[in-house]
Amino acid sequence: NQYDLLTLTDYKKNYIGNQYSNEQLWGWYAGTKTYNTGDLAGSVNGIFGGSKTSFSGESPTQNTVDKFETKWGEPLNTEADRSLAAKAGHYNEQDPYTNRDPRFYIDIIYNTAPIPGYSTAKIYYETVNGAANYSQLLDQSYAGITRTGYYERKTWGEQSVNNKTTPQYTDPLIRLGELYLNYAEAANEAYGPNGMAPGATMTALQAINKIRKRVNMPDVLPAYAGSKDALRDRIKNESTIELCFEGSHYFHDIRRWKDAPKVMGGTVMGVDIEKVTVSATYPTGYKYSRQPLSADRQVRWKNAMYYFPFNTEDMYKMKKFVPNEVW
């Protein structure tokens, strides 16, 4: 039926600036949206919406940013991962946005990222006479600014008070890219990285590599492709990156994988960015420091959260019903 993966050049046509693509098996077309429409208040930050008091917006965490590999395919999720990539000359904590998975540049607005209406994204502060002077995209007079050091770009549409565009929006409910990921996950569990499901034409490893090849990423590195357990983590990571900010995939995936206690019980991280003098230590002129978000932005997990509560009106109909813990 001529379904196919879009090329990297056309990748964004799955959800922004286009009605439907032949990668979408089922998409919901939302039409065109002006830069300050209330429909987008949950995804567009106030500083882009030109509103000082509304538009909460989405701000990706450092945890999410770390899921984007180097362009050579090295994971960066843990300190040990980043150390190995740094030893290979492929990662520098003080130049962290260079040589990353191409989807990083599509999905994330990071400090110095080129964006219409702002030349480059200015998400930093500079200390002058002991006081912090905040940059354009950290203007403290706005309620809707990032608290993580990042803004979401994937479905942003590059629209703002400085760039009043009206792009088309489509929610790709199911697209071919997800099917390859679903197959890779299932086939790996049943037959391992190099086994092939009956009637199929590819292995789990070939399926995940097809997704990676589409965005000019190398095949999964041999160190992570030799066993079901090793490949499982890379499939999870690939799914998170490929589908991030599209609906609620990650929300449901970490519950399906039973990873929610670890993910939601961990520390939510952001990045502190200070403008400094260019030096060998700070080659970009910025000092990047990982830091946990404030306590009121951390998450507490209880296993009862695997379940949703009954609607209150339904609960009242059952006289002997006892709500689950938490609910």
Side-chain angles (χ1 to χ4, degrees):
N1 294 304
Q2 299 183 1
Y3 290 111
D4 200 4
L5 297 176
L6 297 186
T7 64
L8 178 61
T9 301
D10 290 334
Y11 186 85
K12 295 182 72 170
K13 290 183 179 180
N14 275 319
Y15 43 84
I16 200 80
N18 186 49
Q19 184 172 6
Y20 296 116
S21 78
N22 66 340
E23 182 173 334
Q24 296 166 353
L25 280 72
W26 183 22
W28 180 75
Y29 180 57
T32 58
K33 300 291 181 182
T34 57
Y35 84 97
N36 63 348
T37 179
D39 291 2
L40 302 177
S43 58
V44 176
N45 295 75
I47 202 158
F48 292 129
S51 172
K52 298 250 179 178
T53 58
S54 62
F55 283 60
S56 59
E58 293 181 353
S59 298
T61 63
Q62 184 64 50
N63 312 62
T64 298
V65 167
D66 288 340
K67 292 183 181 296
F68 291 88
E69 300 173 351
T70 70
K71 73 175 185 180
W72 295 277
E74 293 134 321
L76 298 172
N77 291 293
T78 67
E79 188 173 345
D81 290 338
R82 295 187 290 273
S83 178
L84 286 173
K87 287 179 180 177
H90 294 166
Y91 180 74
N92 182 346
E93 191 79 348
Q94 294 305 323
D95 187 11
Y97 311 132
T98 300
N99 295 323
R100 300 291 288 268
D101 182 322
R103 288 169 292 189
F104 172 75
Y105 306 103
I106 293 173
D107 294 354
I108 307 291
I109 298 175
Y110 56 93
N111 185 48
T112 72
I115 54 173
Y118 297 84
S119 182
T120 60
K122 298 170 180 62
I123 315 174
Y124 63 84
Y125 66 91
E126 187 173 12
T127 303
V128 179
N129 297 325
N133 286 353
Y134 291 93
S135 66
Q136 189 176 23
L137 294 183
L138 277 183
D139 186 336
Q140 300 296 293
S141 66
Y142 284 84
I145 59 171
T146 179
R147 301 307 198 272
T148 67
Y150 303 101
Y151 290 98
E152 187 256 309
R153 183 167 203 161
K154 188 173 188 177
T155 61
W156 172 45
E158 301 185 336
Q159 55 180 191
S160 70
V161 67
N162 291 346
N163 191 52
K164 298 179 181 178
T165 59
T166 55
Q168 296 172 299
Y169 282 85
T170 300
D171 186 358
L173 300 172
I174 302 176
R175 57 184 177 88
L176 188 60
E178 181 185 352
L179 296 195
Y180 282 112
L181 291 165
N182 291 346
Y183 172 80
E185 181 181 339
N188 182 58
E189 294 301 320
Y191 306 102
N194 297 303
M196 194 176 296
T201 58
M202 62 175 61
T203 66
L205 189 58
Q206 289 170 336
I208 189 174
N209 284 336
K210 188 175 182 70
I211 291 294
R212 295 170 66 85
K213 188 171 295 183
R214 181 259 288 273
V215 292
N216 297 336
M217 282 292 286
D219 290 349
V220 174
L221 297 180
Y224 309 104
S227 72
K228 175 170 68 176
D229 290 342
L231 186 61
R232 181 187 297 122
D233 285 342
R234 301 323 303 156
I235 293 173
K236 288 179 178 180
N237 197 88
E238 193 71 25
S239 296
T240 301
I241 292 308
E242 177 65 21
L243 301 174
C244 68
F245 309 125
E246 295 180 30
S248 54
H249 288 285
Y250 189 61
F251 176 93
H252 294 292
D253 282 344
I254 61 174
R255 286 157 176 78
R256 179 169 58 84
W257 295 330
K258 295 297 187 290
D259 287 346
K262 180 180 178 181
V263 173
M264 304 299 285
T267 303
V268 182
M269 301 292 291
V271 64
D272 178 88
I273 308 170
E274 182 180 7
K275 188 174 183 179
V276 296
T277 303
V278 174
S279 66
T281 303
Y282 305 113
T284 65
Y286 298 97
K287 179 182 178 181
Y288 293 95
S289 304
R290 293 165 179 272
Q291 62 177 16
L293 300 189
S294 59
D296 61 344
R297 296 179 186 277
Q298 298 295 330
V299 180
R300 291 191 303 170
W301 173 263
K302 293 186 178 182
N303 283 340
M305 294 177 182
Y306 273 125
Y307 305 94
F308 287 111
F310 277 95
N311 289 331
T312 302
E313 57 267 33
D314 294 328
M315 184 176 67
Y316 287 152
K317 295 173 185 176
M318 302 179 286
K319 291 193 296 183
K320 294 184 178 182
F321 176 73
V322 178
N324 289 319
E325 178 195 3
V326 177
W327 308 122

